[in-house]
Amino acid sequence: GDTNSGAITFLADIDRSSSTNINLTTGAGNNIAFSTFALNAGAAGDVTLTTSGAGAITTGDNTGDDIIGDDVSLSAGSGGIGTSSNNLRLKATTITASTSGNANQFLREFDSVTIASGGLNAGSGSISLTGGTFTLGGSNRVNDNTKLNVNSATFAIGTFNETVDTVTLTSGSITGSGGTLTSTNTIQTQSGSV
């Protein structure tokens, strides 16, 4: 659906029996809120969620999966995507995510997801990867001004090159085989492996 006027709040799971492409857009400044429910588009169904203005994409808990789909595209306003206490949880094949106003993103993957050509963009805000494996699908998939925090996740650069503002490895790992991860500011390793 395309509301174009109000907020979208999930009051029950949406579970498609066959793969379905789902595109949801709120009115300006409104949120998409998962509460404790999930959106399952099927293994081959694409999911596109869009908010604008001060809109956010939020979840009310930190268990299970919020979004299950093939190609997942998230575009939020200055309210951001997820929170530090309630990360947006994915079970996807590919991901693109952007926020306006330098809003932060908190993303957790069920297993492994590829960062698609649209990339991850929080402007000069932060992107926290809090579980699962996020694999670059090519070079330069994360905005150069974004602060990247790998926390209980794996950031797999493979053979690709990536530049970000700041890299913080709270826990988890940063892996690669021939690729280069460059920070234009600082690299902090608190725990984990590189």
Side-chain angles (χ1 to χ4, degrees):
D2 184 354
T3 63
N4 281 327
S5 60
I8 298 172
T9 302
F10 286 77
L11 299 176
D13 290 333
I14 296 177
D15 192 356
R16 304 301 299 171
S17 59
S18 61
S19 294
T20 305
N21 293 337
I22 298 174
N23 182 353
L24 300 174
T25 302
T26 67
N30 290 292
N31 296 340
I32 297 175
F34 282 92
S35 183
T36 59
F37 301 103
L39 170 61
N40 183 351
D46 298 340
V47 175
T48 302
L49 304 179
T50 306
T51 69
S52 61
I57 301 173
T58 65
T59 182
D61 68 353
N62 220 8
T63 61
D65 299 310
D66 294 313
I67 302 170
I68 300 169
D70 186 25
D71 300 325
V72 173
S73 176
L74 308 171
S75 179
S78 60
I81 299 174
T83 65
S84 60
S85 58
N86 290 315
N87 316 144
L88 192 69
R89 299 170 318 279
L90 311 167
K91 187 174 184 180
T93 305
T94 68
I95 179 71
T96 62
S98 65
T99 49
S100 64
N102 304 314
N104 297 331
Q105 300 176 25
F106 298 88
L107 304 170
R108 177 186 302 255
E109 168 60 29
F110 172 75
D111 47 20
S112 180
V113 65
T114 298
I115 301 170
S117 61
L120 302 177
N121 182 358
S124 61
S126 297
I127 295 175
S128 294
L129 308 178
T130 62
T133 300
F134 289 79
T135 303
L136 290 177
S139 292
N140 304 313
R141 297 287 171 99
V142 181
N143 182 293
D144 291 357
N145 297 314
T146 295
K147 298 164 187 68
L148 181 67
N149 180 17
V150 178
N151 186 1
S152 301
T154 297
F155 184 58
I157 63 172
T159 60
F160 300 112
N161 298 319
E162 188 60 64
T163 300
V164 295
D165 177 68
T166 301
V167 176
T168 302
L169 179 60
T170 304
S171 66
S173 62
I174 298 172
T175 64
S177 56
T180 302
L181 177 61
T182 302
S183 168
T184 59
N185 195 344
T186 60
I187 296 176
Q188 297 178 344
T189 303
Q190 298 174 6
S191 178
S193 62
V194 178

